[in-house]
């Protein structure tokens, strides 16, 4: 056995990865961060010190065996690496791109205590992209169990839940209201961060597992959740409809024609392909754009506007850079691309140009006061610091409220903010109906939604009485203290085989 | 379920042309025909390069398993649909029924007003009010006699039908508000008015009923993308608040609606739309196939 690696024996610097030059990339929608080459990936994999008790895996919402897959990359066994990841995460090409790794796996990485942490996200993406390029997919050999499962919403929560239920042998149908599946992965995240071709590839993988996608289907209105259980023969249903319903600021000028939600901008650009020649959906483009908010959605909106030809793009955020909810990499990329950041600034009013459009905004300076309920220092206004600011398009990216459709059309219990109420197992008030993702928690991240989809799948299997018969990649230590032989911690129900 | 999984899309089973700009499409969708109720709408995409446009459901037939749309060719998409949607062709996308159904039931005497494009979607409302036991007067407005459609359908389900034409070639000469005024004068006990049509018409109806304090409902048609509450493009000012027409409506209390705001918001893409239509018509003149 090779000598154990230590912090002193590994490469000190991260393997370099290519990036499109900021001057070039603001003119296109191609991906900003390039993929590792096999050599770069192997070098970066060698930086993992293979901790006996890794901190990275518990830092991952779906518990990917990170040390395991990195060891396979280091051994130049990419297929093996893919098999390890897909035990727990069916969508490595997506998660490698969009997870906030600095707060999860990479944030927990021990190497990061002294050096830059292992670039786990980039390695995961490398494996996911390789699998897509090679046409790998992992399909279970399992007898159909006769259970029919309905999934409402084809975003990350629904996709993750669908994968687990299909692997358990259920007949899974995913319903999507839009004409294309993928949810936020398709309408929300732009191509330069997550190309739609990657979303398509991941959906094809789910179809290989037997999952059926049915688009143009607004559950609640075309048929209700109750009808799915009572009339349509679904034995269990998962609701992963996302948050929806964007918030506006409630300030004067909110409804002017030059004001729109980031959701609307991104949907027109990404899903409806308004940016591309030959597509009919119109897209509002401003010369001077102000984007309000500093989350990932705000960063996406700014960078989209820049690529659509806006001369100036400004970010207005009431706290400082340290509190910005976006991934560090997104803020960094936005800065590189020439976005002007106005930290500690809040809009007071949007100004009318007299023709229903926008001529500017009135803003006020903020300073940070005492920490609030979220633990972040609360921004308070600085008296007399109001100023006017010229712009012709305002994009609002300050979060979302609960989408009301499922609540309007079903007896399902909601919490006081209008989100679906669940217990720790993600069971709702309706028997056999589970829910997870943004429609339960409010806006969060792709990987958290996927984690919720998997938690719900575990609960649904329990509800349906499905038990694992075989375990993937035989764990040398059999589960202890399993209640009636059922181990709630086990996260895979079938053996997977290569095709 | 099989109809949902038809990869070709949603089949057009009947078409009727009411005028050189207004046409009817009957589309097969048994599940939607079963679910649809008066007041709801659909989102349609003509082809995979198309835009998503909201259209009010003008009728649904549960036995035939179809829904009916009445469309006015005003922009590039509706103009292209007029050219290419024939019986046996398919719509790329059709999602719905969307929106909260109208609150029908408990009314005693109702006037249903439809003007222009609103004549078709007022029909399922009139029928539903009648089925719920109300006395129903329909007021329908057209530009001229030749453009009148569905008068027989209205006569079959309403107690009274008042036709208005701009030129007086049939029925009352004047706007639907004139017909509405006459209906209210004849029946002072009207307890609800429903008006569907262009915003300017709905605004005029709201002003007609306001002095009488008659509850008035309008169906709003702002610009939408998804129709599911996700984009917020369809926000409308209702009283002091902002509502999304797609999930909070499309029906709202007419006396609370800020119609001027709605009219400005409807012009949001006016320049782009005009250019797209001109480009499309130019390509038709050049004899090229309409864009696939």
């Amino acid at each position: 056995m090779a000598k154990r690696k230590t912090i002193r024996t590994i490469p000190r610097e991260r393997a370099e990865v290519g990036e499109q030059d900021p001057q070039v990339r603001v003119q296109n929608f191609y991906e900003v961060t390039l993929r590792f080459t096999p050599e770069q990936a192997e070098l970066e994999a060698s930086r993992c010190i293979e901790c006996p008790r890794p901190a990275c895996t518990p830092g991952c919402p779906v518990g990917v065996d990170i040390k395991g897959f990195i060891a396979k990359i280091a051994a130049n066994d990419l297929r093996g690496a893919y098999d390890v990841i897909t035990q727990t995460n069916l969508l490595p090409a997506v998660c490698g791109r969009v997870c906030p790794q600095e707060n999860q796996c990479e944030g927990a990485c021990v190497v990061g205590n002294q050096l830059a942490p292992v670039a786990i996200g980039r390695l995961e993406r490398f494996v996911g992209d390789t699998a897509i390029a090679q046409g790998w997919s992992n399909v279970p050999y399992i007898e159909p169990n006769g259970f029919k499962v309905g999934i409402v919403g084809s975003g990350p929560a629904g996709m993750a839940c669908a994968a687990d239920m299909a692997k358990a042998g259920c007949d899974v149908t995913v319903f999507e209201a839009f004409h294309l599946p993928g949810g936020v992965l398709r309408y929300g995240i732009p191509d330069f961060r997550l190309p739609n071709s990657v979303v398509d590839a991941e959906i094809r993988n789910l179809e290989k597992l037997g999952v059926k996608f049915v688009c143009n289907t607004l559950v609640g209105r075309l048929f209700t959740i109750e009808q799915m259980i009572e009339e349509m023969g679904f034995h269990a249903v998962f609701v992963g409809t996302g948050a929806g319903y964007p918030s506006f600021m409630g300030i004067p000028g909110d409804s002017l024609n030059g004001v729109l939600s980031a959701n609307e901008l991104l949907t027109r650009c990404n899903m409806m392909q308004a940016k591309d020649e030959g597509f009919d959906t119109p897209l509002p483009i401003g010369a001077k754009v102000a984007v309000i908010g500093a989350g990932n959605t705000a960063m996406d909106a700014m960078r989209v506007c820049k690529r659509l030809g806006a001369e100036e793009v400004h970010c207005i955020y009431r706290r400082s850079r340290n509190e910005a909810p976006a991934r560090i990499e997104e803020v960094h990329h936005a800065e590189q691309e020439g976005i002007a950041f106005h930290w500690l600034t809040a809009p007071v009013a949007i100004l009318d140009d007299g023709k229903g459009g926008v001529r500017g905004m009135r803003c006020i300076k903020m300073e940070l006061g005492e920490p609030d309920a979220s633990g972040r220092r609360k921004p308070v206004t600085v008296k007399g610091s109001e100023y006017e600011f010229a712009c012709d398009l305002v994009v609002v990216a300050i979060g979302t409220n609960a989408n009301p459709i499922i609540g309007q059309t079903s007896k399902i219990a909601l919490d006081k903010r209008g989100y679906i109420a669940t217990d720790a197992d993600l069971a709702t008030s309706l028997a056999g109906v589970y829910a997870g993702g943004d429609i339960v928690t409010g806006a969060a991240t792709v990987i958290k939604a996927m984690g919720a989809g998997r938690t719900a799948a575990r609960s649904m299997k329990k509800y349906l009485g499905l038990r694992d018969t075989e375990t993937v990649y035989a764990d040398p230590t059999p589960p202890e203290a399993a209640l009636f032989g059922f181990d709630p911690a086990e996260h895979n129900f079938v053996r997977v085989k290569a095709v | 379920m099989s109809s949902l999984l038809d990869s070709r899309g949603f089949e057009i089973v009947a078409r009727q042309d009411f005028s050189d700009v207004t046409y009817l499409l009957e589309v097969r969708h048994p599940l939607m025909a079963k679910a649809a109720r008066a007041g709801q709408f659909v989102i349609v995409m003509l082809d995979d390069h198309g835009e998503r446009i909201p259209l009010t459901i003008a009728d649904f037939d549960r036995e035939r398993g179809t829904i009916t749309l009445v469309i006015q060719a005003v922009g590039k998409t509706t103009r292209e649909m007029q050219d290419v949607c024939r019986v046996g062709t398919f719509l790329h996308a059709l999602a719905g029924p969307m929106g909260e159904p109208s609150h029908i039931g408990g009314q005693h005497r109702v006037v249903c007003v439809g003007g222009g494009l609103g004549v078709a979607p007022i029909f399922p409302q009139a029928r539903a009010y009648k089925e719920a036991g109300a006395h129903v007067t329909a007021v329908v407005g057209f530009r001229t006699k030749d453009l009148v459609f569905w008068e027989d359908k209205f006569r079959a389900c309403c107690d009274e039908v008042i036709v208005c034409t701009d030129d007086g070639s049939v029925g009352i000469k004047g706007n639907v508000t004139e017909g509405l005024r006459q209906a209210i004068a004849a029946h002072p006990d009207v307890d609800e008015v429903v008006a569907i049509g262009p915003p300017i018409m709905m605004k005029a109806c709201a002003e007609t009923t306001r002095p009488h304090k008659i509850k008035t409902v309008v169906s709003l048609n702002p610009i939408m993308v998804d129709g599911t509450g996700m984009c917020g493009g369809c926000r409308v000012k209702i009283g002091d608040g902002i509502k999304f027409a797609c999930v909070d409506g499309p029906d709202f209390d007419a006396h609370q609606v800020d119609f001027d705001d709605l009219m400005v918001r409807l012009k949001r893409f006016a320049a782009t739309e005009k250019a797209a239509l001109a480009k499309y018509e130019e390509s038709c003149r050049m004899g090229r196939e309409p864009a696939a």
Side-chain angles (χ1 to χ4, degrees), chain A residues 179 213 215-216, chain B residues 1-11 48 90-93:
Chain A
H179 54 287
F213 285 88
C215 293
N216 294 301
Chain B
M1 295 301 285
S2 58
S3 70
L4 289 178
L5 295 166
D6 191 329
S7 59
R8 294 171 300 179
F10 302 86
E11 188 185 2
D48 63 355
F90 293 79
L91 293 173
H92 179 67

Side-chain angles (χ1 to χ4, degrees), chain A residues 125-354:
Chain A
R125 173 185 162 187
F126 171 72
V127 173
D129 285 353
T130 306
I132 291 170
Q134 299 290 328
W136 296 337
S137 64
N138 282 333
V139 176
Y141 37 65
I142 182 113
E143 294 293 315
N145 60 27
F147 287 113
K148 235 177 109 177
V149 170
I151 310 266
V152 184
S154 66
M159 284 166 86
C161 186
D164 279 7
M165 298 314 285
K167 284 163 93 184
C170 300
D171 174 6
V172 180
T173 308
V174 181
F175 296 103
E176 165 59 45
F178 265 120
H179 54 287
L180 290 169
V184 71
L185 303 179
R186 186 175 310 268
Y187 75 73
I189 303 177
D191 275 6
F192 54 83
R193 261 201 327 121
L194 175 65
N196 276 337
S197 58
V198 172
V199 181
D200 290 334
E202 302 287 26
I203 285 166
R204 277 197 301 276
N205 278 340
L206 291 180
E207 285 176 334
K208 284 185 203 159
L209 288 174
V211 176
K212 292 185 284 285
F213 285 88
V214 180
C215 293
N216 294 301
T217 304
L218 179 59
V219 175
R221 293 292 177 199
L222 189 58
F223 46 80
T224 63
I225 304 278
E226 282 90 341
Q227 280 178 297
M228 290 176 76
I229 298 276
E230 287 158 20
E231 298 170 22
M232 295 167 72
F234 288 103
H235 298 99
V237 169
F238 173 74
V239 182
T241 51
Y245 216 95
S247 304
F248 288 87
M249 292 168 292
I251 60 175
D254 247 359
S255 71
L256 291 170
N257 278 349
V259 182
L260 77 167
S261 72
N263 271 6
E264 179 174 359
L265 176 84
L266 294 171
T267 304
R268 286 179 181 274
C269 178
N270 302 336
M271 171 173 268
M272 305 310 295
Q273 290 174 260
K275 64 184 189 297
D276 300 324
E277 189 62 32
F279 287 80
D280 288 341
T281 299
L283 187 62
I285 301 171
K288 272 189 90 171
V289 181
V291 177
I292 298 162
N296 288 318
T297 308
M299 298 302 143
D300 286 345
M302 291 172 216
R303 299 172 66 197
V304 158
C305 288
K306 197 86 190 174
R307 283 161 177 75
L308 292 171
E311 291 159 25
E312 291 176 24
V313 179
H314 299 265
C315 173
I316 313 292
Y317 183 54
R318 63 198 181 118
R319 302 179 199 253
S320 74
R321 191 181 192 275
N322 292 335
E323 290 82 22
R327 294 172 76 207
I328 291 170
E329 179 171 281
E330 307 309 328
V331 179
H332 173 65
H333 280 154
E335 285 170 341
Q336 281 183 328
E337 290 171 14
I339 309 295
F341 284 87
H342 304 244
W343 305 113
L344 293 165
T345 305
V348 180
I350 303 168
L351 308 172
D352 192 336
D353 69 355

